[in-house]
Amino acid sequence: MKMIFRILLLINLISCVSGTFVVNVTQTSYQAEENHNITLQWTFTTKPDTSSNSLYIYCSLFTDHKTPVLFHLYDCVEVSESQDQQFSGRVNCDKDVLREGQIRLQLSRLRTEDSGLYRCVVSTDYGRSSGECQLNVSAADHPEPQRPTVSPEPESQGWIGLYVGLGLTAAAVLLVTLCFALRRCFT
């Protein structure tokens, strides 16, 4: 009797576990630099015999002050109106991999205020779950631009020499002409 009870309990546990809907993160922590791009990824349990039209995805950023929406999918249609202005035009979802149970959100032109905890809630006809990952965006290092030392180019040195030479020649001609004119005046 105990043996039959244990077998029934084991069968019950296996059926419960195999029917569980789970959302996992591919990576729990991401590190990136400002102005770079990053792809945040989650996976979720799929059932081949169910319609993919009942897929709801809601991804948001949790910060101390607000919870802006990164991505929202309702019945397999993206709801861009619910996306927060902070992410407008910077989020791209690879919709081809959704039917395989993958969520790939590429966030471009990262900002330091994009740092925080990202939660993605996935809901289907056969379950609902969520997964979280942390993103830390560091400020880009902007080294002081090197100021070139100003030195005349070799070509400009040649031009300077030509101008000086012409100026000295003109002064010499003027001096000779002046001497010749003074000599005529006195003779």
Side-chain angles (χ1 to χ4, degrees):
M1 186 69 163
K2 281 186 174 181
M3 183 62 124
I4 294 172
F5 179 72
R6 287 181 184 166
I7 291 172
L8 288 174
L9 183 61
L10 182 62
I11 290 171
N12 191 25
L13 286 173
I14 290 171
S15 66
C16 287
V17 171
S18 64
T20 303
F21 181 75
V22 179
V23 174
N24 290 311
V25 290
T26 306
Q27 195 172 323
T28 57
S29 181
Y30 295 87
Q31 182 69 40
E33 190 174 288
E34 192 176 30
N35 297 320
H36 285 88
N37 302 335
I38 196 162
T39 302
L40 305 175
Q41 297 184 69
W42 292 265
T43 60
F44 59 93
T45 309
T46 59
K47 283 191 174 182
D49 57 336
T50 59
S51 169
S52 62
N53 290 341
S54 61
L55 179 61
Y56 305 94
I57 300 173
Y58 189 83
C59 300
S60 55
L61 167 64
F62 286 87
T63 64
D64 294 336
H65 308 291
K66 59 182 181 170
T67 307
V69 175
L70 173 72
F71 179 76
H72 184 195
L73 190 80
Y74 183 81
D75 280 342
C76 291
V77 177
E78 188 173 347
V79 185
S80 55
E81 301 84 42
S82 64
Q83 186 179 58
D84 194 89
Q85 191 66 26
Q86 174 181 346
F87 298 112
S88 181
R90 300 190 305 127
V91 177
N92 184 28
C93 177
D94 185 355
K95 293 184 182 78
D96 294 334
V97 298
L98 287 175
R99 67 180 131 264
E100 299 167 9
Q102 296 180 40
I103 302 168
R104 290 187 196 149
L105 299 178
Q106 182 178 35
L107 182 55
S108 58
R109 299 180 312 278
L110 287 171
R111 305 171 185 165
T112 54
E113 61 264 21
D114 293 335
S115 295
L117 181 69
Y118 285 82
R119 176 179 292 154
C120 199
V121 178
V122 180
S123 182
T124 65
D125 286 341
Y126 49 91
R128 180 182 176 172
S129 185
S130 66
E132 298 175 345
C133 63
Q134 182 72 36
L135 172 62
N136 293 314
V137 181
S138 57
D141 291 332
H142 297 290
E144 287 294 317
Q146 296 284 333
R147 294 187 182 197
T149 54
V150 180
S151 60
E153 299 283 325
E155 287 181 17
S156 63
Q157 286 179 352
W159 283 105
I160 292 172
L162 177 67
Y163 292 137
V164 170
L166 284 174
L168 288 174
T169 303
V173 169
L174 185 63
L175 187 61
V176 168
T177 306
L178 188 60
C179 286
F180 186 67
L182 284 174
R183 191 169 180 209
R184 265 197 170 175
C185 278
F186 290 117
T187 51

